[in-house]
Amino acid sequence: HICTCKAGYSGDGKKSCKLIDICSQDNGGCSFFADCASNKTSFTTRCTCKNGYIGDGTKCIGNVLESLQNDPNLREFHSRLMNSSIRQILSPENHVSVVAPNNNAFTSSRRKRRSVNSLSDLDLKHYIVSCVSLSENDVKAGDKSFVTVAGSWLNITSPMVINNNVSILSVLTAANSAILVVDKLLDVPDSDDDSLEHVSTFVRGILIIDY
């Protein structure tokens, strides 16, 4: 007669049948960023996202910088943030919302002969709102205003539109952030523009506004 191991076990069926560790194979179907726990009785797994990640365990989303890096359409903006001195503002312990121009936004600006290579650290601060994690419902509602890390106003002037002329294509969720994907670069004030109503500094994840 032929001996075979029961479901959930492996071996020759005669001398040895060992319990299969489901989590040892492709992390048990869990995300690479999740912990896998197997139930030896029911042969099922429980997936739990690791600290700093959110999701159902089969899919786990990291912080804003990881999310930008993992989206091919946002790679140029991610590269500019990583090469700046302000990337610490986007560290996992800080809750922020980020306006992220897609790659086409940079390409379009080059075609219009606008300088995109000279985006300074201060320019990039106009794309970040600290201590606020916007939802898709927030941007669909419109009529909301926020102060950026640079001290300028970011206005959701109508559903899915920023400052009357920049369309929000989608809202992505990261572990510590909301990412508003837009189709063009923001018109930011010059660094010496006296029209800024606020001067802001970012200290330990808190936006301090000086009037």
Side-chain angles (χ1 to χ4, degrees), residues 29-34 47 49 53-62 173:
C30 300
S31 165
F32 179 77
F33 303 106
C47 305
C49 291
Y53 292 82
I54 59 173
D56 61 6
T58 58
K59 181 179 180 181
C60 297
I61 302 172
T173 301

Side-chain angles (χ1 to χ4, degrees), residues 71-191:
D71 191 323
N73 292 318
L74 302 175
R75 292 279 173 83
E76 182 160 357
F77 184 63
H78 172 263
S79 176
R80 291 173 183 275
L81 288 174
M82 292 302 294
N83 290 323
S84 74
S85 63
I86 66 169
R87 59 183 180 274
Q88 67 270 17
I89 296 175
L90 305 176
S91 60
E93 62 269 18
N94 296 327
H95 288 275
V96 296
S97 288
V98 177
V99 178
N102 61 17
N103 296 341
N104 288 337
F106 288 95
T107 301
S108 177
S109 291
R110 291 190 186 95
R111 288 173 180 168
K112 295 176 181 178
R113 297 184 178 180
R114 291 178 57 187
S115 175
V116 297
N117 295 323
S118 59
L119 282 177
S120 66
D121 288 3
L122 178 57
D123 291 334
L124 291 172
K125 288 182 179 180
H126 290 280
Y127 291 81
I128 303 171
V129 177
S130 68
C131 305
V132 174
S133 186
L134 294 171
S135 68
E136 189 166 354
N137 288 335
D138 290 328
V139 298
K140 283 183 175 179
D143 195 24
K144 294 180 182 294
S145 297
F146 306 92
V147 178
T148 68
V149 174
S152 60
W153 284 105
L154 184 73
N155 302 303
I156 311 295
T157 48
S158 59
M160 302 295 282
V161 176
I162 296 174
N163 297 344
N164 290 316
N165 65 349
V166 179
S167 296
I168 301 172
L169 303 179
S170 61
V171 181
L172 308 179
T173 301
N176 66 326
S177 169
I179 301 172
L180 312 184
V181 181
V182 296
D183 61 350
K184 62 186 296 187
L185 301 184
L186 299 178
D187 292 324
V188 301
D190 294 333
S191 58

Side-chain angles (χ1 to χ4, degrees), residues 5-21:
C5 294
K6 293 181 179 180
Y9 292 81
S10 65
D12 59 15
K14 293 181 179 180
K15 296 181 179 180
S16 174
C17 285
K18 294 183 178 180
L19 181 67
I20 297 173
D21 182 3

Side-chain angles (χ1 to χ4, degrees), residues 20-83:
I20 297 173
D21 182 3
I22 303 175
C23 292
S24 66
Q25 302 176 0
D26 297 323
N27 203 28
C30 300
S31 165
F32 179 77
F33 303 106
D35 294 319
C36 175
S38 60
N39 187 312
K40 297 180 180 180
T41 303
S42 62
F43 305 110
T44 58
T45 59
R46 184 179 71 254
C47 305
T48 306
C49 291
K50 295 180 179 180
N51 186 38
Y53 292 82
I54 59 173
D56 61 6
T58 58
K59 181 179 180 181
C60 297
I61 302 172
N63 62 55
V64 59
L65 288 175
E66 289 182 12
S67 297
L68 290 171
Q69 182 181 24
N70 292 334
D71 191 323
N73 292 318
L74 302 175
R75 292 279 173 83
E76 182 160 357
F77 184 63
H78 172 263
S79 176
R80 291 173 183 275
L81 288 174
M82 292 302 294
N83 290 323

